[in-house]
Amino acid sequence: QGTRDHPPAQAALRERLLGAVVSCFKRHGAAAIDTPALELETLMGKYGEETKLIYELQDQGGELLALRYDLTVPFARYLAMNKVTNMKRYHVAKVYRRDNPATTRGRYREFYQCDFDIAGQFDPMIPDAECLKIVHEILSDLQLGDFVIKVNDRRILNGMFAVCGVPESQFLPACSTVDKLDKVPWEEVRSEMVAEKGLSSEAADRIGEYVQLHGGLDLIEQLLQDPKLSQNKLAKEGLGDMKLLFEYLTLFGITGKISFDLSLARGLDYYTGVIFEAVLLQQENEHKEEVVGFGSVAGGGRYDGLVGMFDPKGRKVPCVGVSIGIERIFSILEQRLEASGEKLRTTETQVLVATPQKHLLAARLKLISELWDAGIKAEMLYKKDPKLLKQLQYCEDTGIPLAAIVGEQELADGVVKLRDVAAREEVDVPREKLVDEIRRR
Amino acid sequence: QGTRDHPPAQAALRERLLGAVVSCFKRHGAAAIDTPALELETLMGKYGEETKLIYELQDQGGELLALRYDLTVPFARYLAMNKVTNMKRYHVAKVYRRDNPATTRGRYREFYQCDFDIAGQFDPMIPDAECLKIVHEILSDLQLGDFVIKVNDRRILNGMFAVCGVPESQFLPACSTVDKLDKVPWEEVRSEMVAEKGLSSEAADRIGEYVQLHGGLDLIEQLLQDPKLSQNKLAKEGLGDMKLLFEYLTLFGITGKISFDLSLARGLDYYTGVIFEAVLLQQENEHKEEVVGFGSVAGGGRYDGLVGMFDPKGRKVPCVGVSIGIERIFSILEQRLEASGEKLRTTETQVLVATPQKHLLAARLKLISELWDAGIKAEMLYKKDPKLLKQLQYCEDTGIPLAAIVGEQELADGVVKLRDVAAREEVDVPREKLVDEIRRR
């Protein structure tokens, strides 16, 4: 339940999609790493309320193993274990969550994550700005329609909680509650704050005023003048950095899609600074059937304390990263492809080796072997004596553009009949020039 | 234990290796599929003695889940569930085994498998021959040194057991025992047969004579004349098909590396026909340090009954496939790379955007953004005012071939100084021609 097979058409679409994401990560100079899907108990105490979603394995003789929940915590463990203090990496792999699957919205229990992270002590906001640039590039490249990238900062949130009278021990729970604002209305969030998290209704109301705010540089300036927030050290730091971030994003030319949004909280405990989330916007004239596709398609932020949790001496390595919500994007592209009726080729075969008469299996085997050895993508039917029509039909069904036909006459003449399947045109090509001719086409 | 992280240098080598394997699979017209790493109880009763190596998960409320042990059983389940009777697919993914890890020999508890399989009712031995051709192509491409592909047939083995007086119920256990011949001497295998599997010592001795045989077409002809074997229906079928297989392999020009070997048994229960295994051969003048690398690097065979085990009506889909032992090959290539002292680049960055003076962060951000938007792989240091020397050092350390330098003079002149890092040569390039010039280089 909540997992799925990917038949060839889906696997081909996924390969294309992952290819676009990975090529963006490489464009930004990231190196790949790979970590095991199985982790030791290291996962516990990193995810807050979501810890319950971790898959644990049966005891394997003293080793408590769990399946990874994301790629961020394994990356932090990797940095600490190998004492790496400086790294730009990407990682594309499957993660596992015992969540309630909502497959129509692209939510599964096993799914791919595509992460890009920058670890190291650097000047403020330069790596953070690059993460946002990456989100912008990927969402633009994939032509998913209009989107907005919401940005906030945990320090601003915590400062806001402080000036609203929330005790420090309640910052993280309050954060998790604010995080639900993208799914439920403020009234519900407010009552959870008061009834479950034990906040006073005055504090909740004050929070309510702040979390409705969103904007750009103007809002940052306004909050820097806010009589309460500007007195809070954390909030001031966060707002100062947010201003710097907007300067860099202006140089990147992408502020048009960025919204500084005080309601953005992100669910996970480990964030310490900038946080962000990209959402697709519903478009006018959108087909009603496209029910998936609205909601978060990328997210991330700064987590400066996580690596230190894995280091015996608590040495910190500041990190910022982004995770592309590939599954939701995949669902959108899949629905679009279906709606368009377009058929994606699932193989890359360039030529089918065919024979027009019986008793020519040996000729086909010999020719296809020559083509494979020359690096040509070639197929043949696994029948001793297939009909020519069947062979040509196979080309049309699977989109193979060329057929290389050897009959008795061709064998005698030392040629191969090369057929353009779509155009139904045939020419005799000397056997020794066949590979070049196929490459040329 | 038995799992590992792959730092960038390893991940880059792995990407190159998987790329070579996948490109061969695509050359043979295979489509990709993807199945979940988590399977239901479907894995039980498919692997014989190796079932104990399956990783089971904690009960997740009624669902008994296990991590996949290989990619073959999930493929068979996929075919049956989706009623697919005809497919050529490849699948590259991680599998899990609670084995005793032997990491120096490239054996891990979590490791990649690269599988290519052909499912469908076809004329005999044509797909089987293609699987062997694929092994030959991949091992040749990767230049791993000399190798031999051992071939046998479960029907020949079973016929052999029958004529040696082994009761049919003991065929599979006898097979598992013969399979150990590549690791332990015949004497040990013989005593396991007699003491543990309850075979008579006469039967064991007769088996001993057969399993020492290996050769080519000549051996097939000899066994077709064998007074006992030729009377056994199964063995005769198997030998007839083996002869046909050798004909096809002759047309492919690869019989030089093929050995028909009666000691080859393969451990798994599900094989029903041709089986094969590729081994690397120790070479003269081989460095002593290269301890890994001898042993099986690919294997596979025909399993005509497996899909039927998943079909409620038992409908069979004949299959043959090959699995490339990527982990062992990886260990060999890794050791070679280490021995050679060669450094593999872990990123693909083409150009570093640099500045020679202070207060030019904005200029760098603007230029790098232009390059990214044009699809150029570019990096910059995440410092406000890095020293030029540090920036050029970074290029040398990470193998970035070009530096695009913007100083005050270049900004005023509307040019960028493009530096060839290795040659230490610089030229001024008009800003609007920079992208083309980088592409050209």
Side-chain angles (χ1 to χ4, degrees):
Chain A
Q1 208 201 339
T3 65
R4 55 179 168 170
D5 293 323
H6 283 293
Q10 285 182 12
L13 179 62
R14 179 174 293 273
E15 192 181 327
R16 196 188 273 192
L17 176 56
L18 291 179
V21 172
V22 166
S23 97
C24 176
F25 292 165
K26 286 186 174 174
R27 190 157 66 234
H28 287 261
I33 70 164
D34 192 16
T35 65
L38 299 170
E39 289 276 343
L40 292 170
E41 310 102 294
T42 44
L43 299 184
M44 297 306 153
K46 309 292 188 301
Y47 298 107
E49 288 183 10
E50 307 208 358
T51 304
K52 62 179 187 292
L53 302 182
I54 294 173
Y55 271 108
E56 291 172 43
L57 267 72
Q58 282 183 18
D59 191 334
Q60 313 291 334
E63 279 190 331
L64 282 175
L65 292 174
L67 292 173
R68 64 181 162 213
Y69 174 91
D70 67 7
L71 303 176
T72 310
V73 170
F75 175 54
R77 177 200 50 75
Y78 171 87
L79 292 176
M81 265 179 68
N82 297 287
K83 299 196 172 41
V84 175
T85 56
N86 192 326
M87 176 176 226
K88 182 157 51 172
R89 83 89 175 80
Y90 74 89
H91 192 183
V92 173
K94 284 177 174 175
V95 302
Y96 300 86
R97 296 188 188 174
R98 289 178 53 190
D99 211 342
N100 285 326
T103 53
T104 49
R105 286 167 47 215
R107 197 162 77 195
Y108 290 86
R109 288 183 167 180
E110 175 187 64
F111 56 95
Y112 273 99
Q113 276 199 342
C114 299
D115 280 24
F116 172 96
D117 293 80
I118 301 170
Q121 186 70 56
F122 301 115
D123 282 322
M125 297 298 116
I126 310 181
D128 313 59
E130 183 167 0
C131 288
L132 292 167
K133 176 78 170 95
I134 283 176
V135 175
H136 192 278
E137 281 178 28
I138 290 174
L139 296 184
S140 307
D141 275 3
L142 294 173
Q143 300 179 293
L144 295 170
D146 204 13
F147 61 89
V148 66
I149 309 174
K150 298 180 189 173
V151 189
N152 197 2
D153 192 299
R154 274 288 169 90
R155 292 167 296 174
I156 301 175
L157 275 171
N158 287 344
M160 175 187 89
F161 291 137
V163 304
C164 293
V166 179
E168 204 177 325
S169 62
Q170 289 299 304
F171 283 2
L172 276 177
C175 232
S176 311
T177 310
V178 167
D179 184 51
K180 294 173 184 161
L181 268 179
D182 59 338
K183 283 165 206 144
V184 299
W186 165 247
E187 276 316 307
E188 251 175 78
V189 168
R190 185 187 182 283
S191 68
E192 182 178 320
M193 280 184 173
V194 176
E196 287 174 38
K197 312 283 162 159
L199 267 57
S200 69
S201 38
E202 295 75 29
D205 287 337
R206 269 182 244 144
I207 293 171
E209 281 171 36
Y210 280 116
V211 296
Q212 284 169 37
L213 303 173
H214 54 92
L217 255 179
D218 48 337
L219 178 59
I220 301 170
E221 296 290 0
Q222 177 194 323
L223 292 177
L224 276 169
Q225 308 303 324
D226 183 283
K228 279 174 291 174
L229 265 190
S230 61
Q231 297 309 306
N232 181 282
K233 191 173 160 286
L234 268 180
K236 221 177 136 189
E237 248 180 59
L239 286 166
D241 277 348
M242 188 59 72
K243 198 174 157 186
L244 197 57
L245 179 67
F246 266 78
E247 266 177 44
Y248 297 160
L249 300 178
T250 306
L251 290 163
F252 286 160
I254 61 172
T255 41
K257 303 275 189 206
I258 310 279
S259 167
F260 170 41
D261 189 325
L262 282 170
S263 75
L264 178 71
R266 304 278 298 157
L268 300 173
D269 282 7
Y270 52 62
Y271 290 117
T272 55
V274 166
I275 47 177
F276 53 87
E277 201 165 289
V279 256
L280 297 185
L281 299 174
Q282 178 126 25
Q283 275 147 56
E284 307 283 330
N285 304 321
E286 192 77 43
H287 291 296
K288 257 198 192 153
E289 306 94 283
E290 283 201 31
V291 284
V292 294
F294 307 107
S296 165
V297 288
R302 179 161 281 284
Y303 50 101
D304 288 348
L306 193 57
V307 178
M309 290 172 76
F310 291 102
D311 187 279
K313 292 187 184 159
R315 278 168 297 209
K316 291 188 174 182
V317 178
C319 294
V320 63
V322 52
S323 185
I324 306 297
I326 207 73
E327 298 293 344
R328 192 166 284 188
I329 297 175
F330 177 74
S331 295
I332 298 167
L333 294 179
E334 198 184 6
Q335 287 198 2
R336 276 207 201 146
L337 199 69
E338 249 170 57
S340 78
E342 200 194 319
K343 231 179 114 185
L344 216 58
R345 272 197 79 183
T346 60
T347 62
E348 299 176 6
T349 310
Q350 300 161 289
V351 57
L352 185 85
V353 173
T355 36
Q357 296 110 6
K358 287 193 173 185
H359 312 301
L360 286 170
L361 173 60
R364 273 191 293 149
L365 288 171
K366 224 167 140 39
L367 179 59
I368 200 168
S369 177
E370 288 172 25
L371 295 178
W372 285 330
D373 291 342
I376 302 288
K377 293 168 189 154
E379 284 186 74
M380 56 175 266
L381 296 196
Y382 300 120
K383 287 201 155 281
K384 258 160 55 181
D385 297 311
K387 296 220 168 73
L388 185 59
L389 208 65
K390 277 242 162 140
Q391 298 174 82
L392 297 177
Q393 189 59 48
Y394 183 80
C395 291
E396 299 206 351
D397 291 346
T398 61
I400 300 177
L402 297 170
I405 303 167
V406 270
E408 280 151 16
Q409 191 58 49
E410 286 79 15
L411 282 174
D413 297 348
V415 298
V416 173
K417 210 178 268 309
L418 193 60
R419 182 185 173 101
D420 180 320
V421 176
R424 303 187 176 199
E425 283 166 6
E426 297 180 345
V427 283
D428 282 351
V429 179
R431 182 128 175 178
E432 66 278 10
K433 293 199 174 144
L434 181 64
V435 167
D436 286 341
E437 179 63 21
I438 293 172
R439 281 208 193 109
R440 200 185 59 76
R441 301 233 192 154
Chain B
Q1 210 201 339
T3 65
R4 55 179 167 172
D5 293 323
H6 283 293
Q10 285 183 13
L13 179 62
R14 180 175 293 273
E15 192 181 327
R16 197 189 273 192
L17 176 57
L18 291 179
V21 172
V22 167
S23 98
C24 176
F25 291 165
K26 285 186 174 174
R27 190 157 66 236
H28 286 262
I33 71 163
D34 191 17
T35 66
L38 300 170
E39 288 276 343
L40 292 170
E41 309 103 293
T42 43
L43 299 183
M44 298 306 153
K46 308 294 188 302
Y47 298 107
E49 289 184 10
E50 306 209 357
T51 303
K52 62 178 187 292
L53 302 182
I54 294 172
Y55 271 108
E56 291 173 43
L57 268 71
Q58 281 183 19
D59 192 332
Q60 313 291 336
E63 278 190 331
L64 283 174
L65 291 174
L67 291 173
R68 63 181 163 214
Y69 173 92
D70 66 7
L71 302 176
T72 310
V73 169
F75 176 54
R77 178 203 45 79
Y78 172 86
L79 292 176
M81 264 178 68
N82 297 286
K83 298 195 171 46
V84 176
T85 56
N86 192 326
M87 175 177 227
K88 183 157 50 172
R89 82 89 173 82
Y90 73 90
H91 192 183
V92 173
K94 283 178 174 175
V95 303
Y96 300 86
R97 295 188 188 174
R98 289 179 51 190
D99 210 341
N100 285 326
T103 52
T104 50
R105 285 167 49 215
R107 197 163 77 195
Y108 290 86
R109 288 183 167 181
E110 175 187 65
F111 56 96
Y112 273 99
Q113 277 199 342
C114 299
D115 280 24
F116 172 96
D117 293 81
I118 301 170
Q121 187 70 57
F122 301 116
D123 282 324
M125 295 299 115
I126 310 180
D128 313 60
E130 182 167 1
C131 288
L132 292 167
K133 176 80 171 95
I134 283 176
V135 174
H136 192 277
E137 281 178 28
I138 290 175
L139 297 183
S140 307
D141 275 2
L142 294 173
Q143 299 179 294
L144 295 170
D146 204 13
F147 61 88
V148 64
I149 308 174
K150 298 180 188 172
V151 188
N152 197 2
D153 192 298
R154 274 287 169 90
R155 291 167 298 175
I156 301 176
L157 274 171
N158 287 344
M160 175 187 88
F161 290 138
V163 303
C164 293
V166 179
E168 204 178 325
S169 62
Q170 289 298 307
F171 284 2
L172 275 178
C175 233
S176 311
T177 311
V178 167
D179 184 51
K180 294 172 184 162
L181 267 179
D182 59 338
K183 282 165 206 144
V184 299
W186 165 248
E187 277 316 308
E188 250 176 78
V189 168
R190 185 188 181 283
S191 67
E192 181 178 322
M193 280 184 174
V194 176
E196 288 174 37
K197 312 282 160 159
L199 266 59
S200 70
S201 37
E202 294 75 30
D205 288 337
R206 267 181 245 146
I207 292 171
E209 281 171 37
Y210 280 117
V211 296
Q212 285 169 35
L213 302 173
H214 54 93
L217 255 179
D218 49 336
L219 177 60
I220 302 169
E221 296 292 358
Q222 177 194 322
L223 291 177
L224 277 168
Q225 308 303 323
D226 183 283
K228 279 175 291 174
L229 265 190
S230 60
Q231 297 308 306
N232 180 283
K233 192 174 161 282
L234 266 180
K236 221 178 135 189
E237 247 181 60
L239 286 165
D241 276 348
M242 188 60 72
K243 198 175 157 185
L244 197 57
L245 179 66
F246 266 79
E247 267 177 43
Y248 297 161
L249 299 179
T250 306
L251 290 162
F252 287 160
I254 61 172
T255 42
K257 304 273 189 206
I258 309 278
S259 167
F260 169 42
D261 188 325
L262 282 171
S263 75
L264 178 72
R266 304 278 300 156
L268 300 173
D269 282 6
Y270 52 63
Y271 290 116
T272 55
V274 167
I275 47 178
F276 52 88
E277 201 165 290
V279 251
L280 297 186
L281 299 174
Q282 179 127 23
Q283 275 148 55
E284 305 285 329
N285 304 322
E286 192 77 42
H287 291 295
K288 258 196 191 155
E289 306 94 282
E290 284 202 30
V291 284
V292 294
F294 307 106
S296 165
V297 288
R302 178 160 283 286
Y303 50 100
D304 288 349
L306 193 58
V307 178
M309 290 172 76
F310 292 102
D311 187 279
K313 292 187 184 158
R315 277 167 298 208
K316 291 189 175 181
V317 178
C319 294
V320 63
V322 52
S323 185
I324 306 297
I326 207 72
E327 298 292 344
R328 193 165 283 188
I329 297 174
F330 177 74
S331 295
I332 298 167
L333 294 179
E334 198 185 4
Q335 287 197 1
R336 277 208 201 147
L337 199 70
E338 250 171 55
S340 77
E342 199 194 320
K343 231 178 113 186
L344 216 60
R345 272 197 79 182
T346 59
T347 62
E348 299 175 7
T349 310
Q350 300 162 290
V351 57
L352 184 85
V353 173
T355 37
Q357 296 110 6
K358 286 193 173 186
H359 311 303
L360 286 168
L361 174 61
R364 274 192 293 149
L365 288 171
K366 222 166 141 40
L367 179 58
I368 201 168
S369 176
E370 287 172 25
L371 295 178
W372 284 332
D373 291 343
I376 303 288
K377 293 167 189 155
E379 285 187 74
M380 56 176 265
L381 297 196
Y382 299 121
K383 287 203 155 281
K384 256 159 60 181
D385 296 312
K387 296 220 167 73
L388 184 59
L389 208 66
K390 278 241 161 142
Q391 298 174 81
L392 296 177
Q393 190 58 47
Y394 183 80
C395 291
E396 298 206 352
D397 292 346
T398 60
I400 301 177
L402 297 170
I405 303 168
V406 270
E408 280 152 16
Q409 190 60 48
E410 286 79 15
L411 282 175
D413 296 349
V415 299
V416 173
K417 211 178 266 312
L418 194 60
R419 181 185 174 101
D420 180 319
V421 175
R424 302 185 178 201
E425 283 167 6
E426 296 181 344
V427 282
D428 282 351
V429 179
R431 183 131 176 174
E432 67 278 9
K433 292 197 175 144
L434 180 64
V435 167
D436 285 342
E437 180 60 22
I438 294 171
R439 282 209 193 108
R440 199 185 60 76
R441 300 236 191 153

